[in-house]
Amino acid sequence: MSEEKNNGRMSIIVRTIASSVFPFIVIFSFYIIMHGHLTPGGGFQGGSVAASAIVMLIAAYGYRKVDERVKENSLACIESIGAIIFVAVAFVGLFMAASFMYNFLVGSPFFGEIPHGGNTGILNSGGILPILNIAVGLKVMAGLSAVVAVMALSAGEKK
Amino acid sequence: MIDLFSIILILISALTIIASIISVLMKDLLSCVIALAIMSLLLSLYFYMLHAPDVAIAEAGVGACITTAIFIVAIKATERYEKEEER
Amino acid sequence: MKAKTIFFIIFMAFLLYAAFEIHPFSKPTSKMDDYIISNAQNETGANNVVTSVVFDYRGYDTLGEATVLFAAVSGVLVALRRKEDKHE
């Protein structure tokens, strides 16, 4: 098959469009994650959008290119870092304030200002919500893209 | 009184049902996966029209992209056409 | 075949009953959402009430969801491990 000849990658049109669209999708996913407490979206949604961008690169460039560039151990490390940040923030709420996963940053001058009449554009508000959004976003992005990458590697090696 | 909003909702739900029935009945599994992706995209549009944009973004990201990629990888590793078997 | 038809008819009757006896839209039965809708913006400072519910009021559920995702990804990575790693 010609698929075996060119290492499972698609034609040059698909590769060019995928590599030129990729930064915009990643920036949009970062926007969804960072504005998770202001506009619709959040950690899971932005992470899934970023993972779909990585899946698009895997589909366009083939599994061997992915095998050269990124290892699944690093993706698993990123996912574990997200989980550790999540649980660490929750335990800081236990030790510094009242209870587990208490929103201890609300009211502090750095992260917790509460504007009157709705919050329209202040990013560093909402207490621990942006930190947890970033943690869950890292976790979902690394996890879903690791699943698809490992499955593509396994299917490519088996063939 | 049926307004335009209800007509669009009924149209989208009818298309969703048609896409899911196609995904059940087809013998070519790749066509089934494409029909599932279409169903997921229409479902995300339905969620958006019901004022749930959070669920719509999650559905469009996970259902229409990640699930399709996983299914296509699984079909590539196994077989493409569904076998006829006695029941 | 007959058992399938009977089951289909019963299931469709159940679905139609559920569709006609559905609760009216945007009129919830509990009073908890009134508190959250009226106080979430003043208590957390976030504009998106859904995110403040998911990450603040109901943080345990998000922790459980993260645990489920972590377990699923770990299971896939263990099951589909590379062959070189297996020989080492």
Side-chain angles (χ1 to χ4, degrees), chain A residues 76 79-81 83-84 139 143, chain C residues 64-76:
Chain A
E79 196 205 1
S80 306
I81 285 170
I84 286 171
K139 191 173 163 48
Chain C
E65 175 223 326
T67 311
V68 166
L69 186 68
F70 187 78
V73 173
S74 310
V76 171

Side-chain angles (χ1 to χ4, degrees), chain A residues 33-55:
Chain A
I33 293 174
M34 290 305 295
H35 287 242
H37 57 292
L38 301 178
T39 56
F44 188 80
Q45 287 88 5
S48 67
V49 170
S52 68
I54 298 175
V55 166

Side-chain angles (χ1 to χ4, degrees), chain A residues 2-3 6-19 56-62:
Chain A
S2 62
E3 190 177 337
N6 53 13
N7 290 334
R9 63 185 182 185
M10 300 182 79
S11 69
I12 190 169
I13 303 172
V14 180
R15 275 181 284 149
T16 309
I17 291 177
S19 55
M56 182 185 68
L57 277 194
I58 291 173
Y61 279 91

Side-chain angles (χ1 to χ4, degrees), chain A residues 36-41 44 67 72 76 79-80 86 100-101 103 106 114 119 125-126 129 132-133 136 139-140 143 147 150-151 154 157, chain C residues 41-48 51-52 55-56 58-60 62-63 65-67 69-70 72-74 76-77 80-85:
Chain A
H37 57 292
L38 301 178
T39 56
F44 188 80
D67 192 16
E72 67 262 23
E79 196 205 1
S80 306
F86 196 96
F100 189 71
M101 208 174 275
N103 201 340
V106 160
I114 299 173
N119 186 0
S125 66
L129 294 182
L132 293 184
N133 268 323
V136 174
K139 191 173 163 48
V140 172
V147 166
V150 168
M151 285 188 70
S154 172
E157 281 179 357
Chain C
Q41 286 187 343
N42 295 325
E43 283 184 357
T44 66
N47 202 19
N48 192 358
T51 305
S52 63
F55 284 104
D56 196 357
R58 300 283 183 267
Y60 283 175
T62 308
L63 185 62
E65 175 223 326
T67 311
L69 186 68
F70 187 78
V73 173
S74 310
V76 171
L77 287 184
L80 298 178
R81 192 181 290 273
R82 220 175 289 191
K83 285 173 186 171
E84 302 93 75
D85 296 347

Side-chain angles (χ1 to χ4, degrees), chain C:
Chain C
M1 193 64 198
K2 187 173 288 183
K4 264 185 201 173
T5 311
I6 292 173
F7 178 74
F8 181 74
I9 289 173
I10 292 175
F11 192 67
M12 284 304 291
F14 175 71
L15 282 186
L16 284 177
Y17 175 73
F20 281 112
E21 291 294 320
I22 198 170
H23 200 75
F25 191 64
S26 75
K27 287 184 177 52
T29 53
S30 71
K31 293 287 183 291
M32 190 62 206
D33 54 341
D34 292 337
Y35 174 77
I36 286 178
I37 287 171
S38 56
N39 287 332
Q41 286 187 343
N42 295 325
E43 283 184 357
T44 66
N47 202 19
N48 192 358
V49 182
V50 177
T51 305
S52 63
V53 168
V54 165
F55 284 104
D56 196 357
Y57 291 102
R58 300 283 183 267
Y60 283 175
D61 292 346
T62 308
L63 185 62
E65 175 223 326
T67 311
V68 166
L69 186 68
F70 187 78
V73 173
S74 310
V76 171
L77 287 184
V78 166
L80 298 178
R81 192 181 290 273
R82 220 175 289 191
K83 285 173 186 171
E84 302 93 75
D85 296 347
K86 199 182 292 180
H87 289 302
E88 282 172 1

